Amino acid sequence: SKAKHHNHQKSMKVVTPLSLLIIVSSLMIFVVPAGTSSVDCTFGIGYWKNHLSAWPGDFATKVFYGTGETWPHVFDMSACICYWKIAQQYVAAVLNIANGAPSTPTVNEVVAALDIFFTEFTGDPSSLVCTDKLLSFHDTLASYNKGQLGVPQC
């Protein structure tokens, strides 16, 4: 199913009533009717990098926060740079959720925290030093995307 997108300026919040999944981020609102997606699993960053036509909505044309890079180009950036390493797992997690994959409260909290982080980060991505908190966020999303947090990988 295609997610509907609207511009919005709130921090990310996830609401999951029985009939609807709504994700509000600083970029847009995603509305995914429950039960319309057959995707009950997650895909890793390799899948999303190599299957642009499978991306939900219009993420493929969006600019990734203040970087000037498109969401797909995030996967081409060096994972040796902390900012991009975290961004790659973040993009995959957001795509998985927008694609209809179930999430967890912890993943929702990390996605929301990183939405705020990426919104507020104005420096050069290559200058970011990875803190324990950022590495923890990366590890949580990597585990989710790999199917290790209760939601199986596709």
Side-chain angles (χ1 to χ4, degrees):
S1 69
K2 294 282 184 191
K4 297 178 186 174
H5 302 283
H6 307 284
N7 287 335
H8 204 277
Q9 296 300 320
K10 301 275 185 195
S11 63
M12 179 163 281
K13 294 181 183 168
V14 177
V15 181
T16 55
L18 294 177
S19 63
L20 203 57
L21 171 66
I22 301 174
I23 304 170
V24 181
S25 86
S26 63
L27 296 177
M28 58 206 76
I29 298 174
F30 318 105
V31 181
V32 183
T36 61
S37 174
S38 61
V39 180
D40 292 327
C41 52
T42 61
F43 293 102
I45 61 175
Y47 174 84
W48 292 116
K49 178 179 180 176
N50 295 307
H51 294 88
L52 194 60
S53 64
W55 285 39
D58 57 357
F59 281 103
T61 60
K62 297 288 184 191
V63 173
F64 189 76
Y65 296 87
T67 65
E69 305 294 345
T70 62
W71 280 58
H73 195 228
V74 167
F75 292 124
D76 297 328
M77 306 306 283
S78 174
C80 294
I81 297 173
C82 178
Y83 182 96
W84 297 118
K85 176 179 180 169
I86 295 164
Q88 290 168 358
Q89 294 298 338
Y90 173 81
V91 167
V94 169
L95 292 174
N96 280 321
I97 295 166
N99 199 41
S103 189
T104 69
T106 300
V107 169
N108 295 344
E109 290 171 14
V110 169
V111 167
L114 285 175
D115 174 63
I116 293 166
F117 169 78
F118 289 125
T119 299
E120 294 177 352
F121 185 84
T122 58
D124 176 358
S126 65
S127 69
L128 179 68
V129 176
C130 265
T131 63
D132 288 344
K133 187 68 162 177
L134 288 173
L135 290 173
S136 170
F137 288 165
H138 168 273
D139 293 348
T140 297
L141 295 184
S143 294
Y144 170 70
N145 293 328
K146 292 176 185 176
Q148 300 169 345
L149 288 182
V151 178
Q153 190 172 45
C154 299

